[in-house]
Amino acid sequence: MSSECRRWSEGDPILEEYHDHEWCKISHNDQYQFEMLCLEGASTGLSWATILHKRANYRRAFHDFDINACAAMTDDELISLLSNPGLIRNRSKIFSVRRNAQAVLAIQQEFGSFDAYLWDASNGRQIDGHWKSLEEVPTVSELSMRLSKDMKKRGISYVGPVITYSFLQSIGIINDHLADCECR
């Protein structure tokens, strides 16, 4: 399979798998959404390929992104991860997983689920640009700017408007597969 949509992933089996089976696919699973939130945050300033290649390490280090387990991680546990070569060893990014888990737990209390909070932001509908070329695909939107601001207010880290846009793609609220992509 080859299309312009897949251009950014071609030649890398991990990226191809992500493009074909996860990217822009709707997920209503809080744990998966939390994982993508954390991985997108870890990618700040780096390539998404770098993070996806370390994904298994992140899952092992952060209890498969179990929200309660991540929220309960101790300083000692987090500090020990700073020497883990399978992770991006940035103290702020590593500690943000716990902080974000705690914020997501508060969101779950308020909205019933992280999913309900996120989909409420898009009025419960997927946003699909039906783009014809990759050059048309934006990196930020009104929704990502608004949600970024709200998530920051709620204590979530590494959620600038561009990262938030990528996060919304990763969980399927935004579908930026090109109009002719077989993976829509």
Side-chain angles (χ1 to χ4, degrees):
M1 170 193 341
S2 182
S3 81
E4 184 187 2
C5 186
R6 206 167 187 247
R7 187 173 67 207
W8 59 268
S9 66
E10 280 185 331
D12 183 326
I14 291 173
L15 285 178
E16 288 174 356
E17 177 72 17
Y18 177 74
H19 169 274
D20 296 354
H21 301 289
E22 288 185 73
W23 189 62
C24 301
K25 304 289 191 225
I26 292 174
S27 171
H28 291 290
N29 180 292
D30 278 19
Q31 187 169 333
Y32 177 79
Q33 292 166 341
F34 176 68
E35 175 182 2
M36 299 311 329
L37 177 74
C38 294
L39 293 177
E40 290 288 355
S43 78
T44 302
L46 303 167
S47 76
W48 185 235
T50 298
I51 300 306
L52 280 186
H53 282 270
K54 294 179 177 286
R55 189 178 193 179
N57 299 320
Y58 273 88
R59 285 178 171 165
R60 278 189 296 277
F62 292 106
H63 310 283
D64 286 319
F65 292 99
D66 177 276
I67 300 165
N68 288 302
C70 288
M73 290 180 79
T74 66
D75 284 353
D76 288 343
E77 283 178 277
L78 295 170
I79 289 167
S80 74
L81 295 178
L82 293 171
S83 62
N84 183 333
L87 306 176
I88 302 304
R89 293 177 284 180
N90 174 300
R91 182 182 178 90
S92 179
K93 288 180 180 182
I94 286 175
F95 274 74
S96 76
V97 173
R98 179 179 63 190
R99 194 169 42 258
N100 290 351
Q102 292 167 346
V104 167
L105 288 176
I107 288 169
Q108 288 175 325
Q109 285 283 28
E110 182 178 345
F111 288 85
S113 68
F114 190 38
D115 180 66
Y117 164 75
L118 294 168
W119 282 90
D120 183 60
S122 73
N123 297 315
R125 63 180 180 77
Q126 185 181 54
I127 297 161
D128 190 336
H130 297 283
W131 311 113
K132 304 269 190 272
S133 73
L134 288 176
E135 290 70 34
E136 293 178 90
V137 178
T139 58
V140 68
S141 68
E142 180 278 326
L143 174 60
S144 75
M145 288 187 285
R146 185 169 33 87
L147 192 57
S148 166
K149 186 176 181 180
D150 191 69
M151 287 194 292
K152 286 178 185 176
K153 236 178 12 183
R154 293 173 181 278
I156 298 177
S157 301
Y158 292 101
V159 286
V162 173
I163 288 295
T164 299
Y165 190 88
S166 294
F167 168 61
L168 293 172
Q169 289 173 317
S170 75
I171 62 171
I173 289 178
I174 293 176
N175 182 357
D176 278 342
H177 280 285
L178 297 183
D180 66 350
C181 183
E182 295 175 22
C183 298
R184 293 189 124 274

